[in-house]
Amino acid sequence: MLSWLLPVAILAGLVAAWELWVQLADVPKWQLPAPSEIAKELSSSSDLLWDHTLVTLKEIVVGFLAALIAGLVLAGGIAYSRVLERSVYPIVIASQTVPIIAIAPLLLIWVGYGLTPKIIIVALICFYPIAVNTVDGLKAADPDMINMVRALGASRWQVFTKLQIPTALPFMFSGIKIGVSVSVIAAVIGEWVGASEGLGYLITYSQPLFLTARVFAAILVLSVMGITLFVLAALAERMMMPWHFSEKRSNSMRQL
Amino acid sequence: MSMDAPIRPKIRIESVNKSYVIDGQQQAVLNGIDLTVNEGEFVSIIGPSGCGKSTLLNIIAGLDQPDSGSVELSGVTGDAISGDGFGGGRLGQTGYMQQKDLLLPWRSVLDNTILGLELRGMPKRQARERALEFTEEFGLKGFEHQYPYALSGGMRQRAAFLRTMLLDQDVVLLDEPFGALDALTRVQMQEWLLQLWESVNKTIVLITHDVDEALLLSDRVYLLTARPGKTALALEVGLPRPRHYDMVTSSEFAALKSSLMGPLRSQVLATRSGGQSG
């Protein structure tokens, strides 16, 4: 109960201090709008914000799903095949040293200003944590368990499906949670490089006009979007691994 | 075992050698081991730590292959028993239970017990029905739908044992199945196993550190030497059946025990002086 009450109280205190300071020190609105001003902007520009939110959300969802499918398929291949592990896996890891943000302008040259380059950036950024964590998870199966399943007569494929995949689930969800967290950043970066819609675009468009409250409103919506996506991923995790959470709970009970 | 049934060897191991590379050095683990287990017999293998007992069981189960020598299971030698090509011909031909229960944490107790049946392609529902017929006998009734973490050590071990037995293999290999249990639970499990074995006609090979356990349960006890392991002694246990735990205090039992303890102690000492460990 108290575990969420405390951070909420601290946050409320900070917002109140911010409001008070802006009011008392008479900070100009274009420099730092008060929280009440941002709230006003949220309601007066709600239609505008909503339209741009849908665009960014679409980029994130499509990009993330593409990364998820590609990441899982590749991770499965790498864990199953020694050849793929030796040939493709080092490239996947090395690819992470390429600054994807720096590729964004190139994508504009190649695929234009539409949604596609943003989706590609989101996918490229989400792909890595999902793929690498899942590979680790698929390889994490206990050798004694592998022997047990083999002695029961399991084929290579059965070892993979009945043992390696369930073992990998917690790892996979770690990757997914990292992935959804960075997906929002990825979409905003994609829009900064060149776009005509989306919340990232709204920020770059509003800033030179000193519509600072609108910039804040857009940031707030982006945060809420990020938190919501994370919560959805965590819920999916709980639904797919009920044993994992009941086991954790009973272990922490034992420690009490 | 009925007396008029012809005695047929179920497992025949002849001069099997196996070595591993340990710390960059080639080390012999099994050195020309011979061992025979007849159909329906209960045989124990006892020996100092690191003498290759588990390696021997792994070889019988098909998880490992010998460097040389012959392994015959149910009258078929070597890799001639067809597997699916993944790791050797004897895989899936024996029931093998290890010291750790190795229950899959994401499966309920019931679904853990049907794993072997499921791997053979039996539909889950049918396999569950089959398993439910045995949960009472295996002391798992009422816990079928729990996850393994919720069970006690003894129960987990019995669940692993049911998983091994549901495949209904003629040969069952037990690698210190009671080693991780507390003394009282261990005695209960030994008596339970004794009863179970006397009611089914299975060939059982048991690895143990426990001399009492070996003598109480077995028709014959093999003592292995310190690494590299080979057969030091084969002791016939002539105690009458059915057996029960009270027998461990009988004079007959004491005599058998002392004839096993002496050679065992000298093998354990040989292990120490050899500077080898577990």
Side-chain angles (χ1 to χ4, degrees):
Chain A
M1 223 18 199
L2 278 169
S3 67
W4 61 268
L5 214 62
L6 199 62
V8 166
I10 291 172
L11 207 62
L14 285 173
V15 170
W18 174 2
E19 179 79 41
L20 214 62
W21 184 62
V22 170
Q23 301 287 358
L24 292 178
D26 221 4
V27 181
K29 206 160 74 172
W30 57 267
Q31 209 171 45
L32 180 68
S36 58
E37 200 67 42
I38 297 165
K40 229 182 283 168
E41 176 66 27
L42 271 173
S43 73
S44 63
S45 309
S46 60
D47 286 350
L48 179 78
L49 284 164
W50 181 243
D51 289 345
H52 288 287
T53 302
L54 285 182
V55 172
T56 304
L57 194 60
K58 191 172 169 192
E59 294 161 2
I60 291 173
V61 170
V62 177
F64 172 78
L65 288 179
L68 182 66
I69 293 166
L72 295 186
V73 168
L74 194 78
I78 287 169
Y80 200 80
S81 146
R82 218 47 29 118
V83 178
L84 277 180
E85 187 189 351
R86 297 235 172 104
S87 56
V88 177
Y89 198 38
I91 299 174
V92 171
I93 291 170
S95 75
Q96 203 47 23
T97 58
V98 176
I100 289 162
I101 300 166
I103 298 179
L106 285 175
L107 288 175
L108 295 186
I109 298 175
W110 294 335
V111 294
Y113 279 78
L115 283 185
T116 320
K118 287 85 181 176
I119 290 170
I120 293 175
I121 290 167
V122 171
L124 284 175
I125 288 184
C126 294
F127 167 79
Y128 187 79
I130 295 173
V132 170
N133 276 292
T134 308
V135 168
D136 283 349
L138 288 170
K139 290 186 182 176
D142 178 354
D144 287 339
M145 287 226 183
I146 295 177
N147 270 345
M148 180 273 292
V149 179
R150 284 176 63 210
L152 285 174
S155 64
R156 173 80 181 87
W157 178 248
Q158 284 176 321
V159 173
F160 190 71
T161 56
K162 305 276 180 192
L163 186 61
Q164 289 181 274
I165 289 179
T167 307
L169 283 181
F171 295 78
M172 181 192 82
F173 274 108
S174 297
I176 285 176
K177 286 194 279 190
I178 297 169
V180 293
S181 308
V182 292
S183 66
V184 178
I185 304 169
V188 170
I189 289 167
E191 288 172 2
W192 280 359
V193 174
S196 53
E197 49 186 350
L199 288 170
Y201 161 77
L202 192 64
I203 290 170
T204 42
Y205 169 85
S206 306
Q207 179 260 330
L209 302 174
F210 291 102
L211 295 168
T212 317
R214 187 173 289 172
V215 173
F216 269 101
I219 292 171
L220 194 67
V221 174
L222 284 169
S223 304
V224 171
M225 196 191 286
I227 292 168
T228 309
L229 290 170
F230 187 88
V231 168
L232 285 176
L235 279 177
E237 185 182 25
R238 265 169 195 270
M239 275 165 59
M240 279 189 74
M241 303 191 300
W243 76 87
H244 193 65
F245 292 94
S246 43
E247 188 172 4
K248 256 199 208 161
R249 197 162 55 230
S250 86
N251 284 343
S252 59
M253 298 266 273
R254 248 171 247 154
Q255 277 165 15
L256 280 177
Chain B
M1 263 212 314
S2 130
M3 289 313 269
D4 13 278
I7 296 172
R8 277 184 301 179
K10 195 71 185 169
I11 304 168
R12 187 149 54 190
I13 309 271
E14 272 167 10
S15 39
V16 158
N17 289 296
K18 180 75 190 175
S19 59
Y20 289 109
V21 178
I22 301 165
D23 298 329
Q25 269 185 316
Q26 189 86 2
Q27 286 209 28
V29 179
L30 295 175
N31 184 20
I33 201 159
D34 297 306
L35 183 143
T36 304
V37 186
N38 294 320
E39 204 170 320
E41 262 188 329
F42 196 124
V43 164
S44 288
I45 300 172
I46 200 163
S49 292
C51 73
K53 300 184 295 268
S54 297
T55 304
L56 182 62
L57 237 51
N58 280 343
I59 287 174
I60 298 172
L63 289 169
D64 226 332
Q65 301 303 322
D67 297 338
S68 64
S70 84
V71 180
E72 186 187 300
L73 178 68
S74 306
V76 187
T77 309
D79 289 350
I81 301 173
S82 68
D84 75 337
F86 171 50
R90 285 183 302 280
L91 282 171
Q93 306 286 327
T94 59
Y96 189 7
M97 183 177 158
Q98 281 141 302
Q99 180 172 5
K100 289 194 265 176
D101 54 69
L102 299 173
L103 296 175
L104 305 178
W106 53 84
R107 283 176 171 244
S108 69
V109 171
L110 187 63
D111 285 357
N112 262 292
T113 63
I114 64 166
L115 183 62
L117 295 174
E118 205 183 309
L119 293 171
R120 287 195 174 173
M122 184 186 280
K124 269 194 181 183
R125 222 168 98 197
Q126 197 185 335
R128 285 189 186 124
E129 275 169 23
R130 167 96 59 97
L132 282 170
E133 291 170 26
F134 296 96
T135 47
E136 181 146 28
E137 192 183 346
F138 281 71
L140 298 167
K141 200 155 188 67
F143 291 86
E144 293 94 339
H145 304 293
Q146 302 269 9
Y147 285 116
Y149 71 85
L151 268 61
S152 68
M155 262 190 169
R156 294 174 60 113
Q157 211 63 21
R158 285 197 297 270
F161 201 53
L162 179 54
R163 177 179 65 197
T164 309
M165 297 305 277
L166 265 187
L167 279 177
D168 204 19
Q169 307 280 17
D170 300 340
V171 176
V172 177
L173 311 171
L174 305 171
D175 188 353
E176 293 187 55
F178 313 131
L181 303 175
D182 64 83
L184 274 176
T185 314
R186 188 157 64 227
V187 170
Q188 278 175 1
M189 293 285 289
Q190 285 163 357
E191 290 198 300
W192 175 78
L193 176 63
L194 201 54
Q195 219 181 2
L196 191 79
W197 176 75
E198 279 166 356
S199 67
V200 295
N201 189 37
K202 303 250 179 238
T203 308
I204 298 192
V205 181
L206 171 77
I207 285 182
T208 179
H209 274 124
D210 185 336
V211 174
D212 284 355
E213 181 173 294
L215 292 172
L216 182 68
L217 297 173
S218 314
D219 296 312
R220 187 159 2 97
V221 179
Y222 280 97
L223 172 67
L224 298 197
T225 63
R227 196 160 73 197
K230 62 178 183 195
T231 321
L233 180 74
L235 181 72
E236 298 290 333
V237 183
L239 297 170
R241 292 193 184 271
R243 297 185 188 162
H244 40 86
Y245 199 74
D246 300 340
M247 286 180 175
V248 298
T249 53
S250 71
S251 59
E252 233 178 323
F253 195 93
L256 282 166
K257 193 169 173 177
S258 69
S259 65
L260 192 56
M261 285 305 277
L264 177 62
R265 193 170 296 129
S266 61
Q267 289 307 328
V268 172
L269 287 174
T271 308
R272 290 216 188 113
S273 60
Q276 291 169 338
S277 63

